[in-house]
Amino acid sequence: MTDPVAVVLLVCCSLAGLLLIPFGLPGLWVIVLAVVGYAALTDFRSIGAWFMGVVIVLALLAEVLEAWLGFKLALRYGGSRRAGWGALLGGLVGAIVGVPVPLIGSVIAGFIGSFAGAALFEYTRARHAQGAAKAGWGAVLGRAMAAAAKMALGVGISVWALFLALR
């Protein structure tokens, strides 16, 4: 038998996590904690260690994918490896700097940081503004693709957990 209070908490926390992801906040980890919390509240009857392990591994892979996509697309758009590292570092610094601005600060600053990092690192290498801007644009696209992938994963984990909880 399902515990309705635990199911409602699982759904609410999963929805909250999904709302956080586009803002560059750790929404995927909120969903992971919701799954673990639901399992603990229900004495691991419908969600067990295997599912929790899969969810944690998927969340870790999503974090790696987020970093890799910005790096890779900066390269695909003509940047060097240096531009890729600039995209990675700039995105992280931007997201941290933007945290004090409510709601969208970390998102906008993360995108700006990815662009600026890739463009600056590429420009210091090649001294070509157009190529640097192109690498920066690739970094922004990579960051957007990563956010979309994390949203899709968050939806998938949430639906799967809800399915397990209600069966």
Side-chain angles (χ1 to χ4, degrees):
M1 174 141 187
T2 61
D3 181 0
V5 173
V7 171
V8 168
L9 284 171
L10 174 65
V11 170
C12 289
C13 290
S14 293
L15 289 173
L18 289 172
L19 290 173
L20 292 174
I21 291 171
F23 296 111
L25 298 171
L28 200 53
W29 293 103
V30 170
I31 295 168
V32 169
L33 289 175
V35 168
V36 171
Y38 176 85
L41 282 173
T42 60
D43 296 324
F44 303 93
R45 285 188 305 265
S46 56
I47 292 180
W50 180 85
F51 179 73
M52 288 188 299
V54 169
V55 166
I56 291 168
V57 168
L58 288 173
L60 288 169
L61 288 174
E63 296 299 332
V64 171
L65 177 71
E66 182 177 26
W68 180 78
L69 276 173
F71 188 96
K72 194 66 172 170
L73 283 172
L75 297 178
R76 181 171 287 167
Y77 275 72
S80 62
R81 290 183 59 77
R82 190 172 179 168
W85 284 109
L88 179 63
L89 294 172
L92 290 173
V93 170
I96 292 167
V97 168
V99 166
V101 178
L103 294 180
I104 61 169
S106 62
V107 176
I108 293 172
F111 279 104
I112 292 170
S114 289
F115 178 87
L120 178 66
F121 278 47
E122 184 62 20
Y123 185 78
T124 59
R125 186 190 70 78
R127 302 279 187 223
H128 189 260
Q130 187 176 7
K134 203 171 162 187
W137 177 246
V140 168
L141 290 177
R143 192 157 181 92
M145 287 176 62
K150 286 176 90 171
M151 278 296 291
L153 182 61
V155 168
I157 290 171
S158 298
V159 168
W160 191 9
L162 188 58
F163 173 76
L164 291 174
L166 294 176
R167 67 177 184 155

